[in-house]
Amino acid sequence: MPETPLVSIRDVANHAGVSVGTVSNVLNRPDIVASATRARVLAAITELGFVPNDAARQLRRGRGRTLGLVVLDVANPFFTDVAKGVEDTTGAAGMAVIFCNSDGDLTKENAYLDLLEEQRVQGVLITPIDDASARLHRLRDRGVRVVLLDRRSPEAGVCSVSVDDRLGGELAMRHLVESGHRRIAFVGGPHRLEQVRDRYDGALQALTGAGLGEDNLRRYETPALTVAAGRDAAARILGQPRRTRATAVFCANDLLALGTLQVLTRQHIRVPDDIALVGYDDIDFAAAAAVPLTSVRQPRQRLGQTAAGLLLEEANRPETHRHQQVVFEPELVVRESSQRILTEG
Amino acid sequence: MPETPLVSIRDVANHAGVSVGTVSNVLNRPDIVASATRARVLAAITELGFVPNDAARQLRRGRGRTLGLVVLDVANPFFTDVAKGVEDTTGAAGMAVIFCNSDGDLTKENAYLDLLEEQRVQGVLITPIDDASARLHRLRDRGVRVVLLDRRSPEAGVCSVSVDDRLGGELAMRHLVESGHRRIAFVGGPHRLEQVRDRYDGALQALTGAGLGEDNLRRYETPALTVAAGRDAAARILGQPRRTRATAVFCANDLLALGTLQVLTRQHIRVPDDIALVGYDDIDFAAAAAVPLTSVRQPRQRLGQTAAGLLLEEANRPETHRHQQVVFEPELVVRESSQRILTEG
DNA sequence: GCGAGTTTATGAAACGTTTCACATAGTCGC
DNA sequence: GCGACTATGTGAAACGTTTCATAAACTCGC
């Protein structure tokens, strides 16, 4: 297959009998060129099948038309919903998203950040694995705009869009405590993820708020926030002697909860009668689970839209842009997995 | 925030006391430069924090380091698993993926293809909405490599990686017929999606193979392959008088099946006793559903890996590359949603 | 210590745009 | 019919790389 020699702006110019500058003007500021010429150039463009080369434009302009989105796990519907939000906003602005999956692996995260930097993206939306402030600062210093996603920025110099994870943990735990549970398991990890820590801290706070203590909450750390990790954690919980075993489980996300639920069901542990279960994120599948899952809902799509919006604003109006930390509030959605079914009462 | 003047290959050259050509050589063919010089250049690179500009490289070389992936629905775990497979392969090759979500909308699909063309991507992996052969041909003629994903190419000139959807439909339907069902509903759409048509055709074929006819299969067309569309379809099915209502439902994918299941459960229709249910894709959530879902499994991740592999091969060794149509075989995974539970028998 | 060969480095051209200072031609008021 | 505008178009420089023909400096064998 012979590489077809691509047609450039120069070919278009020749074909239309104008200069290259004029063709460029037709493309970028059509209003300043006389309508007759404009029509002629446009005709030449379609006739030759000209497609502008974004690399050349980018080289000249300094930055490209893409932005990077770095998430912890593509397979997690939470992130795909966020991605959808991002895409809503960028698509409307004619920009493209380079989608990167760090998979919770610092090496991959760094590799992708390098790559995005080489692409001279407009900016990066990232849910970092750890605080990584050094790395992110370096990015910023090189002119790459950064917006933290699902993570609150500790400093004023960076935009961030997040959900109040402490509050979310608090809501979940308060609900369990009010349902009478006193031996509760927290499933989540790795601990270096801020979301996990915050949700745990929130849970603890609800506990002490109710006059209970740290010994009412047993923590099961997982290596990742996945269904498989949830299954493992459930096995560990069930390894406890029945009399001291937790009567309720709060999982740091829905995937963990679904994994946990699978194991419980398979072992004929009744949910919620024997063990109550609460997840986090309220992904669409939570409601469709074996036992519909109580979960803490986050505005996933809005998270993405807002983050992309902040980035675009920073890119397009740097002079008026003020960095801001947007924090959404989560909401507890109670379903069957955490409350006795009424018909049985 | 002042745009930091980025450091270029020329700055590195000056700093290291060599020519720009040499720096470029260090970057691209380190073996041909003397190790002392190489070390000096490398030192200068880290010292100045030099990051190569991929746009410039791309401009010179003709094509970039990215490829496009266009899917029908980001929110569908089937596609995120495929994407993960793609990423496995491209990541290892140091390439980036521009992830595009056509959302089943032809306008969006076209917009993204334009954008990818302007980016001068190495190639495009796409699950097209319709056959769109004209559009894809134009792409090919302009030197953009195309690999069809989850869709068999009708012509020899294009690589494709797919799963035998007719066979999948056949497996599902044969299973239901053998379980004694005679009034079966097919839920799926839109009809212009080839996957949907093939799965339906396969189902029909199993039916006639069993000596039954088209009137045993009632079709419920959906506007999309989503959970919400599944809920609507279920409502329509339940709108039928009980005596003529289907006793089994075959859904063109798992999202539809999960939506259907939700409605059935909420209406206290027992699955599988009152209505049996079979899905398609065997996404991870199928096994974790309210009633574990019988489904037709596809090698999702391998689909992505293979497609990306073919594209890279075509890009790197165009002379030896032969276009091929890879077709995987699906596999029926029987779970509770389609068979009476033994303990009840 | 010379010619042939090898290794290593150089510098300029080219890639396809955008941008900007400048040229040209037309319009207007008087 | 002149000066001052305005509207429109031009052409070359610049962006940061890669590549390639060529130069310079070594290394041999004799």
Side-chain angles (χ1 to χ4, degrees), chain A residues 18-22 33-34 37 59-60:
Chain A
V18 298
S19 74
V20 292
T22 301
V33 21
T37 341
L59 177 57
R60 188 54 236 242

Side-chain angles (χ1 to χ4, degrees), chain B residues 18-22 25 33-34 37 59-60:
Chain B
V18 298
S19 74
V20 291
T22 301
N25 283 335
V33 21
T37 341
L59 177 56
R60 187 56 235 243

Side-chain angles (χ1 to χ4, degrees), chain A residues 82-94:
Chain A
V82 172
K84 224 168 172 172
V86 170
E87 208 218 347
D88 282 353
T89 304
T90 54

Side-chain angles (χ1 to χ4, degrees), chain A residues 281-293:
Chain A
D281 284 348
D282 194 30
I283 60 177
D284 288 339
F285 299 104
V291 180
L293 214 57

Side-chain angles (χ1 to χ4, degrees), chain B residues 15 41-42 48 72 84 87 101 128 130 134 150 172-173 176 215 232 257 278 296 332:
Chain B
H15 195 266
V41 171
L42 255 19
L48 297 179
L72 292 175
K84 223 169 176 173
E87 208 217 347
N101 179 28
D130 53 24
D150 195 34
M173 187 54 69
L176 288 174
D215 43 335
D232 292 347
V278 174
V296 178
L332 184 72

